Amino acid sequence: MGVHTKPKMAELEITHLVQVYDTINELWGCEDAIIAGDFNADCSYVTNEEYKEMRLIKDKRFKWLVNKEEDTTVSDSNCAYDRFVIVGKSIKKDLEPSSVGIFNFEKEYNLNRKQALLVSDHYPIHLQVEK
């Protein structure tokens, strides 16, 4: 499931992802899922108090893979906007935990900030699922 929440609505939209997943699971019998994208779930868009109370955090079926302490933005901020959330027994079993990461292309290709921003204002996130 791809997601890009509206920054000012991030907390509410993220909370509703539990309902979206439950509906998809009911309609298609899809227990395993990866919810990925720009959650805007950090810094000024979602407070620490809101973060702790979100259903997608509190519901133990869901596992967040990119930590809040990570930085997925090219800007001078230190925000973990981009995330993976997984749900389902098989995907949790098949996930290669050490594969979850952020590709800092700015550093990797020795770009200055201006050059990096021409590529994107976010660093790509990645993971590997073994089967």
Side-chain angles (χ1 to χ4, degrees):
M1 297 169 33
V3 65
H4 186 181
T5 68
K6 185 183 275 188
K8 292 183 187 212
M9 300 292 291
E11 189 270 332
L12 181 62
E13 290 182 15
I14 293 166
T15 293
H16 287 311
L17 289 173
V18 173
Q19 189 175 355
V20 171
Y21 166 76
D22 287 340
T23 300
I24 289 170
N25 188 9
E26 185 179 310
L27 288 172
W28 297 320
C30 242
E31 180 185 303
D32 292 292
I34 299 172
I35 307 170
D38 184 350
F39 284 65
N40 283 306
D42 202 0
C43 294
S44 64
Y45 300 135
V46 175
T47 67
N48 285 335
E49 290 74 32
E50 289 172 326
Y51 187 84
K52 291 178 204 167
E53 294 302 315
M54 285 190 296
R55 285 179 61 205
L56 200 65
I57 295 281
K58 291 176 86 170
D59 189 323
K60 298 301 179 200
R61 294 177 298 167
F62 300 92
K63 181 175 179 161
W64 288 59
L65 299 179
V66 175
N67 294 325
K68 200 167 170 14
E69 294 76 33
E70 301 287 341
D71 184 13
T72 66
T73 62
V74 176
S75 67
D76 289 331
S77 65
N78 187 2
C79 302
Y81 291 144
D82 303 283
R83 307 294 185 94
F84 289 119
V85 176
I86 61 172
V87 58
K89 292 179 183 121
S90 294
I91 200 155
K92 287 178 181 176
K93 179 178 63 71
D94 296 338
L95 173 75
E96 179 57 48
S98 64
S99 74
V100 178
I102 300 161
F103 181 64
N104 185 330
F105 58 82
E106 182 178 6
K107 189 181 290 182
E108 182 70 23
Y109 299 129
N110 197 28
L111 303 175
N112 63 43
R113 180 63 43 88
K114 187 176 179 181
Q115 292 169 319
L117 286 168
L118 290 172
V119 176
S120 177
D121 62 336
H122 292 250
Y123 298 123
I125 58 176
H126 58 83
L127 62 76
Q128 183 174 336
V129 178
E130 300 287 334
K131 187 69 178 158

